[in-house]
Amino acid sequence: MGNPQHLQEGRPGRSAVHRGNAPADPLRRGLLAAGLAGLAAMLACHLLLDSSRALVWGLAALGFALIWLIVARQMRRGYPHGRIGACNTVTLIRVALALALVPPLMAGQSAGWMVAGIAVVALALDGVDGWLARRQGLVSDFGARFDMEADSILALILSLHVVAGSEVGAEGLILGFARYAFLVAMLLWPWLAAPLPQKFRRKTICVVQMATLILLLLPILTPDAAILVARLAAALVVWSFAVDILWLRERAG
């Protein structure tokens, strides 16, 4: 993604949710409700996309369940609030919508209007979860990291749709895999894991990146135009990462 900021996972402190029954029950119930909402979103996508590969849809649902378990574990370890809130529920639904685009990809139904429509809904919800977090007083490092990972999952899957359903090649993969390449680079150069200051540039390029991926899903551009648009967006993403990498390098000495 255009936002490579690595938010460190904190250990639960005084404000973190403890395992006592009173604060744990609302969180547990909220997690269960959010998981069911995500599965319902996947079922709705299954009906809309009309993909009959039950095994692939089952694997997608299993993938969502695994992500739900990871989210639940991380929230119990370091989430500083006693309830999941609508904000994190919306983010989990965004993950479900992204994973619902895997079965049509596997079935050879890549790109197209319906896939783009679901991607638009997921992107629109990206602006909702942050607003809900601020409104409900549930802003947290966990929520920011979760939001970023949901963006990354969606971008990754959309980029595969773009490459499979258009003439776009490596430039399309850059739009989906840039953040994951950055995470791998962190293993080689730990100084890349240092926190980055908030920048409007990253948010803007992230929106451009996602909008470009959705545009490339639609059969409205000529092959040459699609490749040009993809290359311009990929160049912006690479430039944004390069700016942050240089900033981190300077401070690492």
Side-chain angles (χ1 to χ4, degrees):
M1 295 295 294
N3 179 0
Q5 182 168 355
H6 179 69
L7 297 174
Q8 299 291 341
E9 176 186 318
R11 296 183 179 179
R14 292 180 180 270
S15 61
V17 176
H18 297 284
R19 295 181 181 273
N21 291 332
D25 287 342
L27 183 59
R28 188 178 298 113
R29 290 195 299 268
L31 284 166
L32 178 59
L36 293 175
L39 290 175
M42 294 190 75
L43 177 60
C45 291
H46 177 39
L47 297 175
L48 287 172
L49 294 168
D50 193 26
S51 177
S52 59
R53 294 195 175 186
L55 176 59
V56 179
W57 278 99
L59 292 175
L62 179 60
F64 174 76
L66 291 175
I67 291 175
W68 179 87
L69 287 173
I70 293 172
V71 169
R73 180 172 180 270
Q74 294 301 319
M75 291 189 88
R76 286 195 295 268
R77 289 180 60 188
Y79 182 61
H81 305 291
R83 57 195 176 95
I84 184 173
C87 50
N88 291 302
T89 299
V90 168
T91 308
L92 200 56
I93 290 174
R94 288 173 50 216
V95 172
L97 292 174
L99 293 178
L101 299 179
V102 173
L105 178 66
M106 300 299 294
Q109 301 170 3
S110 56
W113 291 96
M114 192 60 70
V115 171
I118 293 173
V120 167
V121 173
L123 181 59
L125 291 176
D126 187 22
V128 173
D129 51 10
W131 177 81
L132 286 171
R134 292 186 294 272
R135 184 176 179 84
Q136 297 179 324
L138 296 177
V139 175
S140 67
D141 282 355
F142 169 86
R145 178 66 183 269
F146 187 22
D147 178 77
M148 183 168 57
E149 298 302 340
D151 287 339
S152 299
I153 292 171
L154 179 61
L156 171 63
I157 295 171
L158 291 183
S159 71
L160 294 175
H161 270 277
V162 166
V163 172
S166 72
E167 299 298 321
V168 174
E171 49 276 303
L173 294 179
I174 290 174
L175 294 175
F177 284 83
R179 169 164 162 73
Y180 294 102
F182 186 83
L183 292 178
V184 172
M186 285 182 184
L187 301 177
L188 302 176
W189 300 286
W191 50 268
L192 289 173
L196 286 160
Q198 293 291 331
K199 291 292 183 180
F200 181 73
R201 160 182 52 85
R202 293 192 209 99
K203 296 179 180 179
T204 302
I205 293 180
C206 179
V207 172
V208 171
Q209 174 186 4
M210 301 300 291
T212 299
L213 284 168
I214 293 173
L215 175 63
L216 294 173
L217 295 174
L218 301 174
I220 59 177
L221 297 177
T222 64
D224 288 343
I227 292 172
L228 177 61
V229 169
R231 287 178 178 175
L232 290 174
L236 281 175
V237 170
V238 171
W239 170 74
S240 180
F241 273 95
V243 169
D244 286 331
I245 289 171
L246 291 174
W247 187 89
L248 290 168
R249 179 59 181 170
E250 289 177 0
R251 275 136 190 87

